[in-house]
Amino acid sequence: MKTGQASIASAGDPVGRDYRLTGERAKQAVRLGLTDAEWYRPPIDPDRLRELMTRRNGPAIRDTALWLALLVASGVLAYLALGSWWAVPAFAVYGALYGGAADPRWHENGHGTAFKTRWPNDVVYALASFMLLREPTLWRWSHVRHHSDTIIVGRDPEISFPRPFRFRSVLPNYLNLISGPRMLLRIGQHALGRIDEDTREFVPEEELPRVVREARVFVVILGAVVVWCLATVSIVPLLFVGLPSFYGVWLVWFFAITQHAGLNEDVLDHRYSTRTVYMNPVFRFLYLNMNYHLEHHLFPSVPYHALPALHEEVKQHLPAPKTSMFDAYKEIVLALRMQRRNPDWEIPGREVPEDAGYRINGTRASSRSLATSMAVAAGLESRTDLGPADIVMPGQVTRIDIEDHTYALYRTRRNAYALTDGICTHGSADLSTGHLDDCIIECPKHNGRFNVLTGEPVRRPAKIPLATYPVEVVDGRLLVALRGSGPQPAAAGS
Ligand code: FES
């Protein structure tokens, strides 16, 4: 068995696997340590990774503006063509841009990595969430879980191709006739304040009122469109708002099937569960480079526009990508057919290079501990000498282990030093491998963010502040008061 390979997939479920978040397989996954576990990451030069994680507004402004322009243009054409057959292709394009191309925009902006500036990410995320009938807060937390427990049966709420796969569900799925009505029903229930068990499973209690408020906004907007239809005795308003979330969804499935379908479940190495596929530039625009899906799961802090470059950096550590959509579909259809007969069947010949990689999760102590080299500054017994001031460069973060405690030492672009606990308070990620933008550190695992000067969380899923320790530069050395730091608290979980 290779590192991270399946440990419960072979348990075999007679009828099909139990994908419920509250079912037996969910409990089994917890027992077997498959939740919020350590994941493989390929080795990469830290400076290069830092470069790749850099955020830019330019590409996202260009790609968002082009998407919206195409959406409006196809909508205008569809309106002008009403009453003729030309309306069919016009609505097909409009629907694909609305209910299909919104998906990668929802995804990238949900990670907060599309734009450098924060608010456009939130605006586009909210818009795309509505277009896809995805309640923003609920789906934000659902996606956090997807990244923590990728394709872990009973834990990942976003497994779209369960084993055994029912081929007769393809057409209804491509028209959103299975998930769509369920999502509408759930929105209606949430608007009434009734929260289902699955939602409670991964959305924190304190976020539930927000789920209710958002569901009510969705109901109001959709209700207004329905009233408009009734008032004008016409279905046209719904063809523009509401129904594209059904007839345009085929594009979501067309791309999304390539991400994980047919690959291993219950593994702790994304290289077994996630696929990269080469696509042409048009597809890559529509899909916002999510065809580099394996790279995205390995480094969720790298924005979509840098994924092709990231792929070049790490591809020798990854299985060979599929060379085209056709190549990917060939593998997927074979796997889904075989797994229909035998849910434990796995794709043969998927070569995954053997290497240790590096770990994203933090540890409490390390052989690299500075404890032995540390000196307590003369006359400053209560302070610890972390070393020379250039131990960390402007705009960078470094990890420091002292006895049983991991810290992250930051130096902002304006040369302010800060020291915080080094392990994210949401999960177990090592913050020193995250993206530092002035005084904001972004966790490498779920894109949660903290202000390093105050420790305050500034972006979900991070909610609990980081402990901070004042750093002083004395004679070119960094001195810090670590009193009371003690062992780090357990992670808060997702
Ligand atoms: S581990 Fe989830 S945001 Fe840090």
Side-chain angles (χ1 to χ4, degrees), residues 60-117:
I61 290 172
R62 179 197 64 208
D63 291 335
T64 307
L66 183 55
W67 168 56
L68 291 174
L70 289 169
L71 186 71
V72 170
S74 58
V76 169
L77 285 177
Y79 183 75
L80 294 175
L82 280 172
S84 82
W85 284 106
W86 287 109
V88 175
F91 272 112
V93 173
Y94 176 79
L97 290 165
Y98 181 118
D103 175 59
R105 273 87 193 158
W106 166 86
H107 176 265
E108 186 71 17
N109 288 280
H111 276 279
T113 43
F115 295 87
K116 177 177 168 60
T117 310

Side-chain angles (χ1 to χ4, degrees), residues 29-57:
V30 174
R31 277 201 301 275
L32 290 167
L34 295 173
T35 60
D36 199 21
E38 181 67 270
W39 290 82
Y40 166 88
R41 269 188 155 196
I44 181 169
D45 174 56
D47 289 336
R48 180 64 176 137
L49 180 58
R50 209 170 290 126
E51 218 176 286
L52 292 169
M53 287 194 290
T54 304
R55 307 296 152 78
R56 291 159 56 202
N57 281 327

Side-chain angles (χ1 to χ4, degrees), residues 76-366:
V76 169
L77 285 177
Y79 183 75
L80 294 175
L82 280 172
S84 82
W85 284 106
W86 287 109
V88 175
F91 272 112
V93 173
Y94 176 79
L97 290 165
Y98 181 118
D103 175 59
R105 273 87 193 158
W106 166 86
H107 176 265
E108 186 71 17
N109 288 280
H111 276 279
T113 43
F115 295 87
K116 177 177 168 60
T117 310
R118 183 176 168 170
W119 69 262
N121 287 308
D122 294 339
V123 169
V124 178
Y125 179 71
L127 174 69
S129 295
F130 175 74
M131 287 171 155
L132 298 160
L133 299 178
R134 294 177 188 167
E135 298 163 77
T137 296
L138 184 156
W139 278 80
R140 196 186 286 280
W141 286 97
S142 153
H143 203 63
V144 165
R145 175 68 73 82
H146 172 63
H147 272 267
S148 290
D149 301 340
T150 309
I151 317 297
I152 303 293
V153 178
R155 290 289 300 177
D156 184 350
E158 298 184 8
I159 297 180
S160 304
F161 294 86
R163 304 183 187 197
F165 181 69
R166 292 181 180 82
F167 279 88
R168 65 175 180 277
S169 69
V170 169
L171 188 61
N173 269 327
Y174 271 58
L175 294 172
N176 209 15
L177 296 178
I178 298 175
S179 302
R182 283 190 200 142
M183 289 159 86
L184 282 176
L185 187 66
R186 188 164 64 177
I187 289 168
Q189 285 174 334
H190 289 173
L192 292 171
R194 293 187 201 139
I195 305 291
D196 54 290
E197 280 308 303
D198 275 3
T199 300
R200 284 187 192 281
E201 235 297 294
F202 55 81
V203 180
E205 186 75 25
E206 65 274 19
E207 299 264 312
L208 294 178
R210 188 194 289 255
V211 171
V212 172
R213 280 198 302 276
E214 289 168 351
R216 287 178 181 163
V217 172
F218 276 27
V219 167
V220 167
I221 298 173
L222 292 170
V225 178
V226 170
V227 169
W228 189 2
C229 286
L230 292 173
T232 55
V233 198
S234 164
I235 198 173
V236 170
L238 267 175
L239 283 175
F240 284 99
V241 178
L243 287 179
S245 312
F246 290 79
Y247 70 78
V249 159
W250 65 271
L251 191 64
V252 175
W253 289 92
F254 175 69
F255 288 132
I257 191 173
T258 63
Q259 296 176 357
H260 308 284
L263 295 176
N264 296 59
E265 294 176 335
D266 299 325
V267 293
L268 298 180
D269 185 335
H270 292 108
R271 296 176 301 172
Y272 292 97
S273 63
T274 309
R275 190 183 276 112
T276 281
V277 183
Y278 289 147
M279 291 185 188
N280 65 52
V282 175
F283 283 6
R284 286 206 287 118
F285 160 71
L286 290 171
Y287 197 29
L288 278 193
N289 282 339
M290 271 306 116
N291 53 308
Y292 295 103
H293 207 67
L294 175 50
E295 290 77 0
H296 164 68
H297 267 274
L298 295 168
F299 298 98
S301 290
V302 172
Y304 74 97
H305 53 78
L307 287 177
L310 173 63
H311 170 72
E312 292 304 319
E313 294 292 333
V314 297
K315 65 183 179 189
Q316 69 275 23
H317 303 285
L318 311 182
K322 293 285 120 188
T323 54
S324 64
M325 285 295 270
F326 180 71
D327 193 22
Y329 266 72
K330 234 175 24 183
E331 177 178 87
I332 293 162
V333 171
L334 171 70
L336 296 182
R337 281 181 53 214
M338 297 303 289
Q339 288 162 2
R340 198 162 53 133
R341 282 178 226 143
N342 173 13
D344 291 338
W345 189 88
E346 303 297 355
I347 296 167
R350 188 173 164 83
E351 294 290 332
V352 174
E354 289 279 5
D355 68 57
Y358 76 91
R359 300 296 164 188
I360 185 175
N361 280 0
T363 53
R364 300 295 185 247
S366 156

Side-chain angles (χ1 to χ4, degrees), residues 389-417:
D390 61 3
I391 191 176
V392 59
M393 291 310 193
Q396 294 190 5
V397 48
T398 191
R399 171 176 169 160
I400 293 186
D401 291 297
I402 299 175
E403 296 172 353
D404 62 350
H405 207 102
T406 296
Y407 302 89
L409 174 67
Y410 315 86
R411 184 171 172 185
T412 70
R413 283 198 300 270
R414 288 171 215 155
N415 269 325
Y417 288 90

Side-chain angles (χ1 to χ4, degrees), residues 447-458:
N447 309 93
R449 292 181 194 160
F450 301 88
N451 181 319
V452 302
L453 302 176
T454 64
E456 283 305 309
V458 294

Side-chain angles (χ1 to χ4, degrees), residues 420-493:
T420 71
D421 278 349
I423 306 299
C424 180
T425 55
H426 171 247
S428 321
D430 174 0
L431 289 172
S432 71
T433 60
H435 172 60
L436 181 66
D437 186 0
D438 200 23
C439 61
I440 303 295
I441 184 72
E442 180 178 289
C443 174
K445 200 162 181 180
H446 303 121
N447 309 93
R449 292 181 194 160
F450 301 88
N451 181 319
V452 302
L453 302 176
T454 64
E456 283 305 309
V458 294
R459 186 178 190 277
R460 286 173 291 164
K463 292 180 297 169
I464 301 172
L466 283 171
T468 57
Y469 309 91
V471 181
E472 209 182 327
V473 186
V474 178
D475 296 334
R477 299 195 70 83
L478 300 174
L479 301 184
V480 61
L482 295 175
R483 272 175 305 184
S485 55
Q488 277 159 314

